[in-house]
Amino acid sequence: MTRETWATRVGFILAAVGSAVGLGNIWRFPWVTADNGGSAFLLVYLAVVLLVGVPGLLGEFVIGRRGKQSPVGALRNLSGSRSWGAWGVFYVGTAVALLSFYSVVGGWILRYFAESAVGIVGGSPAYFAAPGQYFGGAAAGVDALGFHLLFLGLTALVVVGGVRRGIELGTKVMMPAVLALLVGLAVWAGTRPGAADAYAFYLRFDPTTIRANLFDVLAPAAGQALFTLSLGAGTMITYASYIDEDRSLPFDGTVIAVLNTLVGVLAGLVVFPLLFSLGVDPAQTEPGPGALFVGLAGAFSQLPAGALVATVFFGVVVLAALSSSISMLEIPVSFLVDEYGVGRRRAVGLVAGTVVVTGSVCALDPTIAGVGVFGFVAGPLVDTLLTAGLAAALLFVGWVMGRDAVAEFREGAGRAAALATPWLLTVGVVLPIFLVFTLLTTFGVDARLGVWPTVLVSVLVGAVAFLGLRTERSVV
Ligand code: TRP
């Protein structure tokens, strides 16, 4: 059977934007921004997206389009080494871990959407009365479990449709809707009292804060940039493997990153004015995944036509989340299809069946050895897997593909072809060191050793990884 491909270039771009735009932009981005000081964080984050995100995205694209297989087959065939194929399986595992917690949060959103819609007709949504208590109920136990399964079912339904009739068609409808509705909500939120304070908090340029906090916000900014661009899990490798003509990867990658950033910034322009209009100071609220639900739900209850606004808002979030979760499910599915010739329908069944179990564990959120499973998976586990995953992919591009990567980058790139060599240097040397550094700071190593020794350790780890690569066949 011939492998499926995207029907159109726009189809590929929208599918990739759909993957990138998700809970990361609307749910994670505002609270990570708020936790890290608002505007000071925003600027560092934008710089990281441009300098790390875009080149990293191109790295995954180059592997995918050259390899034309799931991450496992692509890494194995391009390197001629089975060990790299085994590393590809790491991405399949990461995707399952991601989907396990993502589908749970998707379930919460689905529930808020349904509750809001019911509230339009039936008076007011139940969460208006006691937002905190409602979230506690929705996010735990059998309720969380049921909506997780529903969300996962919707995800599976799209992926069963295949690359063109499922993913491409779905995201072609979902992404324009998300963009249009968000713009509408942002304009409307700007008319709320308190909007000016919100903009000041969110957008004011404040170089002293940035300088004082640079190293503290670098790791969260990097983590957020990877997460939001869907990097480090093989998603973009997989999506690029379905490209069948040589269009400009640098152009497409830039468009995807810009659109994704736009949605993140827009989400902030919706969320912050609403919170400020209620007198909620995001910097003072308790951090964490529930904060946004509780704060926003409270804000909606104070608004005229609050149930309607809430329905539109959560509707946007459902669509954005769904277009991301399908890209997570597609990684293990493409692995089973490409490697074992399993039919798509069966492959979806097998993977979704697995996530029914792993996701249910996240939904029920037991505490193991003093650590809540959900928080652990959604936080440190995913951060670590993605950072390590991207660092490895970029080392692969820089040191295993080397000249092939440059050739693939140039294919169809037009004038941007001139950027190929500086790009290769960036992804092969600078970014892996940077990624190791952020990983070390996440674990607090910089606090113990100091910043510069940590930089040194990062360089050393990079060098060891490089030497390890040299022992591989057909390398460097
Ligand atoms: N980028 C998506 C978001 O912002 C989440 C996502 C989809 C993702 N696929 C991914 C994150 C792969 C990491 C890796 O919500």
Side-chain angles (χ1 to χ4, degrees):
M1 216 179 72
T2 54
R3 212 163 171 273
E4 265 199 286
T5 55
W6 304 111
T8 63
R9 178 178 192 171
V10 173
F12 160 66
I13 293 181
L14 285 181
V17 172
S19 169
V21 168
L23 297 171
N25 305 63
I26 304 176
W27 166 68
R28 203 173 189 261
F29 177 71
W31 66 260
V32 173
T33 304
D35 282 354
N36 289 288
S39 52
F41 176 81
L42 186 63
L43 207 75
V44 176
Y45 165 77
L46 291 177
V48 174
V49 165
L50 194 72
L51 299 175
V52 179
V54 175
L57 185 60
L58 294 177
E60 288 207 17
F61 280 173
V62 160
I63 298 175
R65 194 173 70 177
R66 192 84 167 180
K68 296 250 166 18
Q69 285 285 306
S70 80
V72 177
L75 292 178
R76 186 190 53 230
N77 297 345
L78 291 172
S79 65
S81 146
R82 296 215 142 260
S83 343
W84 273 110
W87 179 259
V89 179
F90 174 88
Y91 294 124
V92 174
T94 301
V96 170
L98 272 170
L99 189 55
S100 303
F101 97 84
Y102 207 84
S103 165
V104 171
V105 183
W108 303 347
I109 310 267
L110 208 53
R111 171 163 180 165
Y112 273 80
F113 171 70
E115 185 65 49
S116 313
V118 169
I120 298 179
V121 240
S124 70
Y127 62 80
F128 276 15
Q133 210 177 3
Y134 185 89
F135 178 75
V142 183
D143 292 44
L145 196 69
F147 279 92
H148 146 62
L149 294 180
L150 196 61
F151 185 83
L152 186 62
L154 288 175
T155 306
L157 215 60
V158 178
V159 175
V160 162
V163 174
R164 284 193 188 185
R165 289 192 33 241
I167 301 175
E168 186 167 350
L169 195 66
T171 46
K172 239 182 203 165
V173 177
M174 290 191 255
M175 292 334 290
V178 166
L179 213 58
L181 293 175
L182 259 188
V183 170
L185 282 172
V187 169
W188 174 83
T191 66
R192 303 297 307 158
D197 291 342
Y199 294 154
F201 167 77
Y202 185 41
L203 300 174
R204 197 193 43 216
F205 178 67
D206 180 1
T208 40
T209 326
I210 295 174
R211 241 177 277 132
N213 294 314
L214 186 58
F215 284 110
D216 290 336
V217 300
L218 210 51
Q224 175 61 20
L226 298 203
F227 187 84
T228 190
L229 284 171
S230 305
L231 293 177
T235 295
M236 293 303 184
I237 297 179
T238 309
Y239 272 16
S241 76
Y242 298 128
I243 301 178
D244 74 335
E245 332 151 31
D246 290 333
R247 312 122 166 174
S248 169
L249 291 180
F251 178 83
D252 289 6
T254 309
V255 169
I256 291 160
V258 167
L259 282 176
N260 177 58
T261 306
L262 196 70
V263 171
V265 173
L266 267 175
L269 290 178
V270 174
V271 170
F272 289 122
L274 288 185
L275 292 180
F276 272 85
S277 76
L278 252 189
V280 180
D281 180 352
Q284 301 303 323
T285 50
E286 241 178 78
L292 200 71
F293 281 97
V294 178
L296 269 182
F300 289 138
S301 73
Q302 307 294 311
L303 294 173
L308 183 65
V309 180
T311 307
V312 175
F313 179 81
F314 286 116
V316 167
V317 188
V318 167
L319 292 180
L322 198 58
S323 63
S324 300
S325 61
I326 59 181
S327 77
M328 298 173 186
L329 181 55
E330 181 63 20
I331 304 165
V333 167
S334 76
F335 163 66
L336 292 176
V337 171
D338 288 348
E339 291 293 308
Y340 299 104
V342 179
R344 177 168 279 271
R345 200 174 271 276
R346 266 194 68 204
V348 171
L350 283 169
V351 181
T354 307
V355 179
V356 164
V357 179
T358 53
S360 298
V361 176
C362 285
L364 298 175
D365 193 17
T367 303
I368 298 172
V371 182
V373 168
F374 176 86
F376 174 73
V377 175
L381 181 68
V382 160
D383 277 350
T384 308
L385 292 179
L386 295 182
T387 311
L390 185 64
L394 296 183
L395 285 171
F396 183 86
V397 170
W399 300 103
V400 179
M401 291 180 76
R403 262 184 228 124
D404 284 352
V406 168
E408 190 61 40
F409 182 102
R410 290 200 173 129
E411 209 73 62
R415 269 203 236 139
L419 296 172
T421 312
W423 165 77
L424 192 72
L425 208 67
T426 309
V427 298
V429 179
V430 183
L431 295 193
I433 293 174
F434 174 78
L435 291 170
V436 172
F437 176 78
T438 62
L439 207 55
L440 294 177
T441 57
T442 310
F443 290 110
V445 174
D446 61 325
R448 245 171 283 151
L449 295 184
V451 168
W452 292 112
T454 310
V455 172
L456 194 70
V457 173
S458 313
V459 174
L460 285 177
V461 173
V464 169
F466 171 69
L467 291 177
L469 282 181
R470 287 189 70 103
T471 64
E472 278 287 326
R473 207 160 60 79
S474 78
V475 175
V476 202

